[in-house]
Amino acid sequence: MSGLYEELKNRLEQEHGIAIATVIRGVEQPGARMLIYPDATTHGTLGSPELDQQVTSDATQAIWTSGAALHQYSLAQPDARTIEVFIEGFPPPPELIIVGAGHIAIPLTTFAKTLNYRVVVIDARAAFATPERFPHADELIVAWPDEILSQRPIYPSTAVAVLTHDPKFDEPTLKVLLERHGGYVGAIGSRKTSTERGERLKMQGLTDEQLQRIYGPIGLDIGATSPEEIALSIITQIVAYRHGKIGPQQR
Amino acid sequence: MRDVLPDIEKWRSQGDQVAIATVVSMVGSAPRQPGAKLAVSEKGELSGSVSGGCVEPAVVQAAMEVIKNGQPQLLEFGISEADNIEKIGLACGGTIQVFVERLDW
């Protein structure tokens, strides 16, 4: 008993991402297995460092695609047999982090919960981030958003909607987010505000490539005017991003 | 995997050995996708499914052997529709491979 099952069970129960790889065919000992974490660290072995390394790359991808498939590998030496490995990925539930607990954040929380997102609301202003306004939020954090976001895990499945309307909160938040490898990042503001914000962030050292990751003005253009409609346009854009329907160049 | 965890925990807390059967590949249409799992306790209790019923008896038999001798098995079902009539197979004509292993890791 090497404890891999216990570790897998704990990761699943705590809703953290993990993949498991099992040798099915091609070596003396089918059943050799390895756990793979989102940061590409591993636990256990499939029998050779070369195989472990090849599998790790496929397995970290499988975490985010919920992949469950047989993969074929051939090792160079000493024998060139094909090895079949079953890789199964378990993503954490997708998370939506809403920065700014204003009037759009309330319907956005409701929509996201309906779509099974884990919703985190962050605002430095205690009067806005209250349980009465956000009864459905999984986490409600009163603090400076950039400080929180620089510390917590940000995954490719993590979406962030920056809705404060205030450059002193928005800009440090965006700077932290664009320096990390997360998923969707949207920021509220008119086309003019977005352009000016982009220029200020560029002066703070962010590259054009990083800035292109921001969806701003936030939301798909559905002609939204009310807070509820704007929230709908934002969640629609997040879902389209998640399914690969929109990239940084397609707005 | 998540669906069978509570039963596996229950069986293990009673000191029972457990085998896990996993659909690892699928050709054509099949009732359950790769990753689908059937857990079997040494007393023959079941949790989850790999096919919605058609191949479970053969998988359970293999699981009992695997629990005894610890050697994993790779089973294949539903080679062709003609074969399905003769032996155990999938009603919808697809082919699945099921990997059966003892939970000793």
Side-chain angles (χ1 to χ4, degrees):
Chain A
M1 178 79 62
S2 54
L4 291 183
Y5 166 76
E6 288 295 325
E7 174 64 12
L8 175 65
K9 178 174 75 81
N10 290 340
R11 292 287 293 192
L12 291 175
E13 284 174 354
Q14 292 161 16
E15 300 196 321
H16 291 140
I18 187 103
I20 181 161
T22 309
V23 174
I24 301 297
R25 193 154 41 193
V27 284
E28 281 84 34
Q29 293 260 308
R33 85 195 67 236
M34 178 168 76
L35 297 179
I36 304 93
Y37 300 86
D39 64 357
T41 56
T42 59
H43 186 185
T45 176
L46 301 177
S48 90
E50 187 189 350
L51 181 61
D52 288 353
Q53 200 184 345
Q54 290 185 37
V55 167
T56 297
S57 155
D58 291 328
T60 47
Q61 281 178 36
I63 294 176
W64 304 111
T65 57
S66 304
L70 275 182
H71 295 246
Q72 267 90 35
Y73 300 93
S74 24
L75 296 183
Q77 295 295 332
D79 56 57
R81 274 182 305 176
T82 301
I83 297 170
E84 282 194 285
V85 178
F86 184 66
I87 301 177
E88 200 175 355
F90 303 95
E95 190 168 75
L96 170 62
I97 300 175
I98 304 173
V99 177
H103 56 315
I104 296 167
I106 295 172
L108 183 56
T109 301
T110 311
F111 289 144
K113 285 307 297 175
T114 306
L115 294 170
N116 291 321
Y117 279 77
R118 193 174 180 285
V119 179
V120 180
V121 179
I122 310 175
D123 200 310
R125 302 162 297 180
F128 286 83
T130 65
E132 290 72 29
R133 284 164 58 83
F134 295 94
H136 306 300
D138 295 281
E139 270 184 83
L140 200 54
I141 303 171
V142 180
W144 282 81
D146 56 318
E147 286 173 15
I148 298 295
L149 291 172
S150 61
Q151 285 157 21
R152 58 183 296 136
I154 302 277
Y155 297 119
S157 61
T158 306
V160 184
V162 181
L163 307 178
T164 71
H165 276 298
D166 184 339
K168 80 170 178 290
F169 295 116
D170 281 7
E171 286 175 18
T173 299
L174 288 167
K175 194 158 184 284
V176 166
L177 286 173
L178 297 176
E179 283 164 353
R180 304 190 63 184
H181 296 283
Y184 172 92
V185 177
I188 205 157
S190 66
R191 202 161 290 281
K192 183 165 168 283
T193 307
S194 300
T195 308
E196 288 168 2
R197 178 171 52 216
E199 282 162 8
R200 283 195 300 273
L201 286 170
K202 210 169 162 179
M203 278 159 59
Q204 292 174 42
L206 291 180
T207 65
D208 284 331
E209 202 181 12
Q210 286 173 318
L211 291 169
Q212 275 178 5
R213 281 186 51 210
I214 305 175
Y215 287 86
I218 195 170
L220 287 186
D221 185 2
I222 57 170
T225 52
S226 70
E228 291 77 13
E229 288 176 352
I230 295 167
L232 181 64
S233 79
I234 296 170
I235 196 71
T236 308
Q237 191 170 48
I238 290 170
V239 170
Y241 179 93
R242 182 179 171 189
H243 294 301
K245 290 290 181 185
I246 50 170
Q249 307 304 326
Q250 303 153 268
R251 298 301 160 95
Chain B
M1 186 78 204
R2 285 188 175 94
D3 55 337
V4 297
L5 281 180
D7 285 321
I8 292 176
E9 283 307 292
K10 192 177 72 191
W11 299 334
R12 280 162 57 98
S13 70
Q14 293 164 359
D16 292 346
Q17 296 256 43
V18 176
I20 299 178
T22 305
V23 177
V24 294
S25 78
M26 178 187 78
V27 179
S29 60
R32 305 252 4 227
Q33 300 287 315
K37 285 185 171 58
L38 171 71
V40 183
S41 79
E42 64 176 72
K43 295 197 182 103
E45 296 153 292
L46 309 181
S47 182
S49 80
V50 287
S51 77
C54 20
V55 305
E56 263 74 1
V59 173
V60 172
Q61 196 183 342
M64 289 306 185
E65 290 169 20
V66 167
I67 286 175
K68 282 203 188 74
N69 65 24
Q71 295 299 310
Q73 294 187 25
L74 185 60
L75 311 174
E76 188 165 301
F77 297 102
I79 295 127
S80 74
E81 286 190 59
D83 282 349
N84 277 353
I85 299 163
E86 301 297 321
K87 39 186 203 181
I88 301 163
L90 296 172
C92 42
T95 301
I96 59 168
Q97 285 188 320
V98 179
F99 187 69
V100 189
E101 58 186 325
R102 187 166 74 187
L103 181 51
D104 52 9
W105 38 278

